[in-house]
Amino acid sequence: MAIDETSGKRAERQNMENIDFSKFEKNILDKGFVRLVDMMGDDYAAVKAARVSYGQGLKTPERDKALIIYLMEHGHETPFEHIVFTFHAKAPLFVARQWFRHRIGSFNEISQRYTEIKDEEFYIPSNVRVNVPEDRQKAVQLNDEELLRKVIDMMENVFDESYKIYKELIGLGVARELARIVLPLATYTQFYWTVNARSLMNFLNLRADSHAQWEIQQYAIAIADIFKETCPWTYEAFIKYGYRGDLL
């Protein structure tokens, strides 16, 4: 049976080929960013994927949105796998290693074997946190400017020394793949992340949450903003029925 893709034409059909991706860029931390560089599908992609079960396609915007809400409310999440995002992110190594634990997605990262690290590519925190005994996952910020300045000074000294040794090793002819091992986890890296909306929502559940490390929270919040702008119906339904965090 043929599916009628023309039924229920929407008034404002998004044209994915003409999206201005330049507006989907957020600066994060002191030197990081996340930007949307490509996208396949939108809210309507999930609708079409769900209705194919009945040999049907799009209907009216009202009925299509209602279906999105129904799918999310009842945990029918497979149709959301047909919305796919590709992000370009720049983040400290320790953030990237947490990010890469989200396995349902594809990653390609800049290679420190092929590229040389620039001396300004280290993350300097803007706040200081301490662990709380009742929750091993959680840290709380302290309003202590003197301690923060001391922490930053100590970290910058380590960064300067490690980078100095790194450059000396490079100057001695040591391969980049070996010289890099003296660099700290604060070193910035860049990567591409391609992920479907279902997996992106899982990422937001875990990282846009106060139990996640503060730095990755900032990336998750920015990604949530992009998700909201590009898939408003899916985002609205997710926040109402699927979101388990406490920051959005």
Side-chain angles (χ1 to χ4, degrees):
M1 177 172 56
I3 300 173
D4 181 8
E5 292 288 359
T6 63
S7 63
K9 289 183 178 179
R10 46 193 158 130
E12 296 182 2
R13 175 180 291 272
Q14 289 183 333
N15 186 336
M16 303 310 298
E17 294 181 355
N18 294 326
I19 283 184
D20 178 13
F21 288 106
S22 64
K23 69 179 183 179
F24 298 115
E25 178 171 351
K26 313 282 185 179
N27 292 322
I28 316 292
L29 306 181
D30 57 343
K31 306 176 188 72
F33 62 74
V34 63
R35 62 172 68 112
L36 181 66
V37 296
D38 205 356
M39 184 177 177
M40 181 183 76
D42 55 9
D43 289 324
Y44 291 97
V47 172
K48 290 186 288 185
R51 288 219 180 99
V52 75
S53 300
Y54 296 93
Q56 299 176 1
L58 300 176
K59 297 185 179 179
T60 65
E62 293 75 19
R63 295 180 66 181
D64 293 341
K65 182 178 181 180
L67 177 58
I68 291 281
I69 294 170
Y70 176 88
L71 293 171
M72 196 74 70
E73 181 179 7
H74 295 277
H76 301 307
E77 297 178 348
T78 305
F80 300 107
E81 295 177 12
H82 296 271
I83 307 169
V84 180
F85 304 87
T86 296
F87 295 97
H88 179 191
K90 180 180 178 182
L93 281 169
F94 67 88
V95 171
R97 296 303 164 255
Q98 295 173 18
W99 204 321
F100 290 7
R101 291 183 62 81
H102 294 266
R103 296 178 178 88
I104 310 301
S106 299
F107 295 92
N108 277 86
E109 185 179 10
I110 191 170
S111 173
Q112 292 179 356
R113 295 181 67 198
Y114 308 143
T115 61
E116 192 170 318
I117 303 301
K118 298 178 181 179
D119 57 355
E120 72 272 12
E121 296 294 273
F122 300 106
Y123 167 60
I124 306 297
S126 61
N127 61 72
V128 63
R129 281 152 271 150
V130 295
N131 291 114
V132 292
E134 63 270 17
D135 191 338
R136 290 186 177 184
Q137 282 188 295
K138 200 168 185 178
V140 295
Q141 293 188 29
L142 293 182
N143 185 20
D144 189 331
E145 289 297 323
E146 183 179 351
L147 177 60
L148 176 60
R149 186 65 258 168
K150 184 176 182 179
V151 167
I152 291 175
D153 287 344
M154 293 172 68
M155 288 184 175
E156 287 181 333
N157 288 336
V158 171
F159 300 160
D160 290 343
E161 182 63 18
S162 65
Y163 187 74
K164 176 175 174 290
I165 294 172
Y166 170 76
K167 292 294 287 184
E168 288 176 354
L169 291 170
I170 295 293
L172 290 171
V174 175
R176 288 183 294 267
E177 65 184 41
L178 185 58
R180 63 180 173 171
I181 70 175
V182 303
L183 295 171
L185 284 171
T187 306
Y188 270 94
T189 186
Q190 296 189 40
F191 57 90
Y192 266 44
W193 179 42
T194 298
V195 61
N196 66 57
R198 185 182 188 183
S199 295
L200 184 145
M201 289 185 282
N202 179 65
F203 175 84
L204 295 179
N205 274 326
L206 296 173
R207 304 303 182 179
D209 181 78
S210 60
H211 287 85
Q213 186 165 344
W214 182 85
E215 283 80 7
I216 200 169
Q217 290 177 20
Q218 309 314 303
Y219 287 90
I221 292 169
I223 287 169
D225 288 341
I226 294 172
F227 184 29
K228 181 179 181 179
E229 290 185 65
T230 54
C231 296
W233 294 352
T234 302
Y235 180 84
E236 179 184 341
F238 167 63
I239 293 299
K240 186 172 183 179
Y241 296 110
Y243 179 54
R244 300 188 299 273
D246 54 12
L247 297 180
L248 301 179

